[in-house]
Amino acid sequence: MPRETRARPIFLPGPSRLALLSFLLLAACEGRQSALVPGGEDARILGDLFWVMLAGAVVLWFGMNGLFYWATRRSPAAHSQRIANWLVILGGIAFPTVTLSALLVYGLSIMPDLRATGDGPVIRVTGEQWWWRVEYQREDGSTVTTANEIRLPAGVRSTFLLDSKEVIHSFWVPSLGGKMDMFPGRVNEMTLGPERPGIYRGQCAEFCGESHAWMAFEAEVMEPEAFEAWLAAEAAPAVTPASAEAARGAALFLSQGCGACHAVRGTPAVGRVGPDLTHVGSRHSLAAGRLGTSTEDFAKWVANPGAWKPGAEMPAYDHLTGEQIDAIAAYLEGLE
């Protein structure tokens, strides 16, 4: 009878396992939501802080464990009281104190850079359930309202006024900077200095209810000229429906009471309960990052919002026919 053979597990040597583990961990550090791929001044400062703190932790780990290894393995014999005292004083007190003090001084030294005064747009962001109300305060005193995405000019520091309507949220764009909590009845101020144009992903970093995981937003950093052009276009009223189907959708939008919750500037829809939809078709996503902005995505959302975002306050419009829902979707998709 031939002997049964078993596959032997493959054990990598210590350095190889460490290298493989490091590779797997660092593979997750890329992307538009990585704090280790900075797109601005604040994220770069925080990235430097991370690496300095990591280096300090490594020094402490090797120092303390190296001392322990020497005392128990390399020189296990009994030590004199004098040597033991010096090991405790130097290795257990002086070395950690000096290392941690240096890290503390470095961490405190970068705080003024993260609290620098903004010289760019002032943007008020309010955390809702579960989406983001975004209001740009213009120099002439007017306000441009949008939702579920922010756009920023590169090379200037924008100011954010953060608050919340019902529960605690947390505003965070990892590739642009740190996060800040948003409290009902209180306005917290933070600034961000984006430098590299691109589209980054932000999210709510504080558990806020059943659709917390679906409360994201896009943050697009633009060249200053492109940002000014976008803001001027965003301030304009909604465009006229371009097709007969979109026109039918606009009529249905109003007759079904959608304007009681949503605003579409230039139309009778002036609601403030839900997101402003004046230019919703030009946004990067729908429902705070849950869906895209194709006609099919709008139809899915209108038919049954709760299926895509549990707990959403918007009611389902499943009493409408498929043709009616498609018409409303065509209208919304055309609001650019």
Side-chain angles (χ1 to χ4, degrees):
M1 296 289 292
R3 290 190 304 170
E4 181 181 358
T5 59
R6 291 185 178 180
R8 294 183 178 180
I10 300 176
F11 292 99
L12 297 175
S16 299
R17 290 200 301 271
L18 181 60
L20 178 59
L21 178 60
S22 301
F23 174 79
L24 293 175
L25 291 176
L26 292 176
C29 295
E30 291 292 335
R32 62 195 186 100
Q33 197 181 354
S34 173
L36 300 181
V37 184
E41 178 185 6
D42 303 82
R44 188 177 65 253
I45 292 173
L46 292 176
D48 293 341
L49 176 64
F50 168 79
W51 291 114
V52 169
M53 291 294 180
L54 179 62
V58 170
V59 169
L60 281 173
W61 191 90
F62 277 104
M64 299 302 295
N65 284 279
L67 181 62
F68 179 79
Y69 177 77
W70 176 83
T72 59
R73 301 295 182 182
R74 302 296 296 177
S75 182
H79 300 290
S80 67
Q81 184 66 41
R82 181 172 177 272
I83 293 178
N85 289 340
W86 278 111
L87 286 175
V88 172
I89 293 172
L90 294 179
I93 299 177
F95 174 65
T97 300
V98 170
T99 304
L100 292 175
S101 296
L103 293 175
L104 176 62
V105 170
Y106 174 77
L108 293 176
S109 70
I110 68 173
M111 290 185 66
D113 296 329
L114 297 174
R115 299 290 296 172
T117 303
D119 56 354
V122 177
I123 308 167
R124 187 182 187 105
V125 181
T126 303
E128 305 271 355
Q129 296 293 88
W130 287 266
W131 57 281
W132 309 87
R133 189 188 303 275
V134 183
E135 299 170 299
Y136 293 81
Q137 300 179 6
R138 308 186 75 182
E139 294 181 357
D140 61 3
S142 63
T143 299
V144 177
T145 303
T146 181
N148 295 327
E149 72 175 31
I150 60 173
R151 302 204 187 194
L152 304 171
V156 297
R157 179 167 286 274
S158 298
T159 301
F160 290 88
L161 305 177
L162 307 174
D163 66 349
S164 176
K165 182 180 178 182
E166 295 174 341
V167 300
I168 298 175
H169 297 283
S170 187
F171 180 86
W172 191 26
V173 189
S175 292
L176 297 184
K179 59 187 175 181
M180 180 168 284
D181 283 350
M182 310 163 75
F183 300 95
R186 173 179 173 180
V187 178
N188 287 337
E189 180 177 323
M190 72 177 297
T191 61
L192 290 177
E195 298 172 332
R196 182 161 52 90
I199 299 176
Y200 306 94
R201 186 178 187 274
Q203 66 181 58
C204 178
E206 180 77 25
F207 180 72
C208 54
E210 53 191 318
S211 277
H212 163 71
W214 299 117
M215 191 172 174
F217 62 93
E218 304 291 343
E220 181 174 0
V221 178
M222 314 170 73
E223 296 294 347
E225 298 79 10
F227 170 79
E228 292 298 333
W230 170 82
L231 189 59
E234 195 72 13
V239 298
T240 303
S243 66
E245 183 181 30
R248 289 195 302 273
L252 282 167
F253 182 88
L254 295 174
S255 66
Q256 292 297 316
C258 303
C261 292
H262 299 282
V264 180
R265 294 191 300 276
T267 76
V270 293
R272 287 279 299 172
V273 177
D276 187 296
L277 302 179
T278 304
H279 300 291
V280 66
S282 63
R283 294 173 191 163
H284 295 292
S285 67
L286 173 65
R290 185 64 177 98
L291 295 167
T293 54
S294 67
T295 305
E296 293 77 13
D297 290 322
F298 279 108
K300 293 175 182 177
W301 179 255
V302 171
N304 190 2
W308 301 97
K309 182 166 287 191
E313 296 179 353
M314 178 176 167
Y317 281 81
D318 50 2
H319 62 281
L320 298 177
T321 65
E323 291 77 10
Q324 290 174 319
I325 290 177
D326 289 342
I328 295 176
Y331 169 60
L332 295 175
E333 193 269 338
L335 292 176
E336 297 184 346

